Amino acid sequence: MNNVIRLLILLMMLGLSTPWSSGASFKTVKGEFTYYGDKNESREVCRRQALEGARLQALAKEFGTVVTQDTYQADRVTEREESTYFSSLSSTAVKGEWIADDGEPEFTYSLDNDGCYIVKCKVTGKAREISNEATEFAASVLRNGTDLKNADTNFRSGDDMFLHLRTPVDGHVAVFLQDESNRVYSLLPYQAHNSTDVKIKRNRDYVFFDSSRGEPDHGTVDELQLTTDALMERNRVYVIFSPNPFSRAVDTFVADNIPRMLTYDEFTKWLSRVRRNDPKMGVKIMNLNITNN
């Protein structure tokens, strides 16, 4: 597969789609977005980005956005205004969440002079405003080192990935990674840990995926390495924290040295459900670039 996350044996937030109920306070929102792909992106990847962009545009227009620290740390230079807008939306937190599509999204496809896909999406759906009770917390992806100075979202194939986390209250955390093929990998809790989530203490600096910093209560540490066969891939890390315990997503064993996995639809339905039931749950999303050079 194009993007492989290898568990080393020796080293060992958007719009979301889920069924909605008429008892909640929902609004009908509409969004339209054109995504300009590059030579490394397939039609399916561009289709997904266009759909996500349309949903984000609809949510941002209706509810507004809150700027967060979730940014690509390398500038993506483009003359295409809507692609720039998409990158901007991806680095903000919209104040609404997508509940369900209202009818099928509409897509139109074309190619530019370089043979890259241009995908336009129009979408209508049900959405609601996100509660402002979500707990704030600090999380950073670290590359090839466990100090905060190693915070980075740009990786080369073969780089090690760590995660720094600090929260203002005791609570529970889970971590997932989504690749370009819409596979979602369950990174935390660790593979050998049977708990539904990981308990952490307030005002402590945690570094996950580093065996030298592992906590006994968290189980055997899985250390991660990001790899790709493509020239470049874009992945996304989700860090989910709540003062309250929450159910574990239903994931599937794939193979040794590969994290347990679920589909993107399964993940978004689970995340939408647990967020809906817990207004204090916070979700931090970090976008990663992985290059093969």
Side-chain angles (χ1 to χ4, degrees):
M1 54 189 182
N2 286 339
N3 184 59
V4 180
I5 310 167
R6 299 184 300 183
L7 297 179
L8 303 182
I9 299 177
L10 296 178
L11 298 177
M12 288 290 301
M13 158 187 61
L14 253 298
L16 304 175
S17 177
T18 188
W20 59 282
S21 60
S22 57
S25 177
F26 297 109
K27 292 186 177 181
T28 298
V29 296
K30 296 182 179 182
E32 181 176 322
F33 183 78
T34 301
Y35 184 78
Y36 297 87
D38 59 35
K39 293 180 180 180
N40 300 317
E41 294 176 317
S42 66
R43 170 172 158 148
E44 178 58 30
V45 168
C46 294
R47 181 185 185 278
R48 173 164 58 89
Q49 301 285 52
L51 175 59
E52 183 175 359
R55 288 172 174 170
L56 286 171
Q57 193 272 342
L59 293 171
K61 181 171 62 176
E62 180 66 35
F63 303 111
T65 62
V66 175
V67 177
T68 72
Q69 297 177 0
D70 305 330
T71 60
Y72 287 109
Q73 293 185 2
D75 294 331
R76 184 181 179 188
V77 179
T78 176
E79 296 178 356
R80 292 159 171 168
E81 181 178 353
E82 294 192 35
S83 286
T84 304
Y85 179 61
F86 177 77
S87 295
S88 175
L89 276 180
S90 294
S91 62
T92 63
V94 291
K95 296 180 182 178
E97 70 175 331
W98 196 265
I99 303 300
D101 291 341
D102 189 354
E104 291 295 324
E106 300 177 12
F107 295 94
T108 57
Y109 303 89
S110 59
L111 296 173
D112 65 14
N113 293 334
D114 296 321
C116 301
Y117 286 104
I118 302 173
V119 183
K120 183 176 182 178
C121 178
K122 294 182 179 180
V123 66
T124 300
K126 302 296 183 182
R128 70 173 184 181
E129 189 170 11
I130 291 178
S131 166
N132 62 0
E133 299 178 43
T135 306
E136 295 289 336
F137 62 95
S140 298
V141 171
L142 311 177
R143 182 176 71 90
N144 291 339
T146 58
D147 294 328
L148 275 175
K149 66 181 181 181
N150 296 103
D152 204 345
T153 56
N154 295 296
F155 284 73
R156 293 183 178 179
S157 185
D159 283 346
D160 296 326
M161 190 192 93
F162 306 96
L163 177 74
H164 171 267
L165 181 67
R166 186 180 179 91
T167 64
V169 295
D170 294 355
H172 307 259
V173 64
V175 179
F176 297 85
L177 184 142
Q178 174 196 353
D179 70 10
E180 279 199 346
S181 298
N182 268 359
R183 292 177 292 241
V184 177
Y185 297 92
S186 179
L187 304 184
L188 199 67
Y190 295 128
Q191 303 304 297
H193 195 44
N194 293 323
S195 178
T196 59
D197 54 16
V198 173
K199 297 179 181 178
I200 57 176
K201 299 293 185 180
R202 65 178 181 176
N203 297 328
R204 287 185 56 183
D205 290 301
Y206 289 89
V207 176
F208 293 102
F209 315 120
D210 175 18
S211 58
S212 68
R213 303 280 290 270
E215 299 281 335
D217 293 342
H218 296 166
T220 303
V221 174
D222 301 326
E223 294 200 350
L224 301 180
Q225 193 178 78
L226 301 186
T227 67
T228 181
D229 296 327
L231 292 177
M232 183 181 72
E233 291 199 12
R234 298 185 182 95
N235 288 188
R236 179 169 289 178
V237 172
Y238 293 80
V239 182
I240 301 161
F241 173 78
S242 175
N244 308 309
F246 50 89
S247 65
R248 183 170 183 168
V250 179
D251 49 27
T252 303
F253 174 80
V254 179
D256 292 336
N257 304 330
I258 297 178
R260 296 178 66 88
M261 190 176 69
L262 62 160
T263 67
Y264 181 69
D265 285 343
E266 291 168 341
F267 171 68
T268 55
K269 288 177 181 178
W270 168 81
L271 182 55
S272 182
R273 176 174 56 80
V274 293
R275 289 184 70 191
R276 186 172 63 247
N277 294 332
D278 184 359
K280 294 187 179 297
M281 176 174 284
V283 179
K284 188 174 180 69
I285 302 172
M286 288 167 280
N287 301 292
L288 307 183
N289 291 328
I290 308 169
T291 57
N292 190 8
N293 55 30

